[in-house]
Amino acid sequence: MYGANHSVVSEFVFLGITHSWEIQLLLFVFSSVFYMASIMGNSLIILTVTSDPHLHSPMYFLLANLSFIDMGVSSVSSPKMIYDLFRKHKVISFSGCIAQIFFIHVIGGVEMVLLIAMAFDRYIAICKPLHYLTIMSPRMCVFFLVAAWMIGLIHSMVQLAFVVNLPFCGPNVLDSFYCDLPRFIKLACIDTYQLEFMVTANSGFISVGSFFILIISYIIIILTVQKHSSGGSSKALSTLSAHITVVVLFFGPLIFFYVWPFPSTHLDKFLAFFDAVLTPFLNPVIYTFRNQEMKMAMRRVCKQLVNNKRSLE
């Protein structure tokens, strides 16, 4: 698009979240604890779903894959941010920055499709229960998973196609703690207004479109549940409330980044921090807190792990 890459910039400098030593210490403890809790929580969900035969169903198959993606969400930027908190010179290489942008958009695209697949799964389970196992067959589950990764990869490659050959000839300071694509583009040595608009419109349209599809789907499902007064209605609403909470947590920051007309650097950093550190931790908590079946399965897995450890001693 712009010919050969004539960049003379070999690294980018992060300004980080704050310069206050006290806040940095608080963020270090907070981020480290929640990052480890996120990895452990999501790993436990994956282990529980794969090892417990009672959870070998489409809903839990999609949940296990969402947990895997959440581990990726927290690992793309959190370890680097934690490592940089007490460093005066926070830097990332040019190729490292491109790689971070690539994985952020791949993971984001995959998670969007998985959340839509989970909404579809709940729609079929509640609105067409007699056809559930026929529609949500293993082949359909694999199709959703393959489609999620394909869409994530295509979305990320389209975004990078716009920027990978941009010329960077001087400014290299990013007012962030990770490689944020809109701010990355602004550092190029050419007029990037149209490019910024295209990249923002691409992510913004996908985020808003997916969010409205999900909200409309869940409204239809809730209306269907309310028409039935069976004993399973409260359980269905409990499951739906967990799904809707995760959807809002995921799409809220994204829509703000790409759609909100009055950007604020401090608020952007807070939402990015929330999205990278807290959301991957909250997702397993939300999905298991009100799911009795998952909690019982986790207890069985934990007991089995403890018993295996004792037998080895």
Side-chain angles (χ1 to χ4, degrees), residues 20-270:
S20 168
W21 191 89
E22 291 82 2
I23 297 176
Q24 285 181 337
L25 180 60
L26 181 64
L27 287 174
F28 176 80
V29 175
F30 188 81
S31 302
S32 301
V33 169
F34 277 94
Y35 175 68
M36 292 305 299
S38 169
I39 296 298
M40 291 173 65
N42 284 298
S43 298
L44 181 58
I45 286 180
I46 295 170
L47 178 63
T48 303
V49 172
T50 53
S51 62
D52 195 316
H54 298 92
L55 302 183
H56 290 177
S57 67
M59 183 179 81
Y60 292 111
F61 171 81
L62 295 171
L63 176 59
N65 280 280
L66 183 68
S67 293
F68 177 77
I69 289 299
D70 280 333
M71 290 170 67
V73 170
S74 59
S75 298
V76 168
S77 56
S78 293
K80 172 68 174 167
M81 179 199 68
I82 294 168
Y83 175 70
D84 282 343
L85 275 171
F86 295 111
R87 298 179 73 207
K88 289 185 178 180
H89 197 52
K90 304 172 176 64
V91 297
I92 187 170
S93 67
F94 184 90
S95 57
C97 196
I98 293 292
Q100 198 174 63
I101 291 171
F102 173 77
F103 285 112
I104 285 171
H105 285 270
V106 168
I107 290 168
V110 173
E111 184 151 0
M112 282 186 197
V113 179
L114 282 178
L115 289 173
I116 292 172
M118 293 175 79
F120 179 78
D121 171 77
R122 291 300 85 201
Y123 171 79
I124 298 300
I126 292 170
C127 300
K128 298 183 178 181
L130 297 178
H131 303 285
Y132 178 70
L133 291 177
T134 304
I135 297 173
M136 291 303 297
S137 62
R139 181 179 293 182
M140 178 62 78
C141 292
V142 172
F143 168 78
F144 274 129
L145 185 60
V146 172
W149 280 100
M150 289 297 294
I151 290 171
L153 285 167
I154 291 169
H155 166 66
S156 186
M157 289 171 70
V158 168
Q159 295 289 74
L160 281 183
F162 289 131
V163 303
V164 72
N165 285 322
L166 283 175
F168 295 90
C169 52
N172 68 334
V173 177
L174 287 164
D175 190 6
S176 183
F177 61 89
Y178 71 105
C179 283
D180 177 33
L181 186 55
R183 289 190 174 89
F184 176 82
I185 294 172
K186 289 179 187 291
L187 297 179
C189 300
I190 60 171
D191 181 11
T192 58
Y193 176 78
Q194 290 185 335
L195 186 58
E196 288 175 53
F197 177 79
M198 289 170 64
V199 168
T200 303
N202 182 15
S203 293
F205 177 77
I206 293 172
S207 300
V208 174
S210 300
F211 180 72
F212 278 110
I213 288 171
L214 286 164
I215 293 301
I216 292 168
S217 301
Y218 283 121
I219 289 172
I220 294 171
I221 297 170
I222 289 170
L223 291 175
T224 303
V225 170
Q226 288 181 337
K227 288 180 182 178
H228 301 83
S229 56
S230 62
S233 296
S234 59
K235 182 182 178 182
L237 286 172
S238 177
T239 304
L240 289 174
S241 65
H243 283 244
I244 293 169
T245 303
V246 169
V247 166
V248 172
L249 284 173
F250 176 75
F251 283 97
L254 282 180
I255 291 172
F256 184 89
F257 288 145
Y258 294 108
V259 178
W260 188 250
F262 309 108
S264 167
T265 301
H266 294 296
L267 190 55
D268 282 356
K269 287 182 181 181
F270 170 76

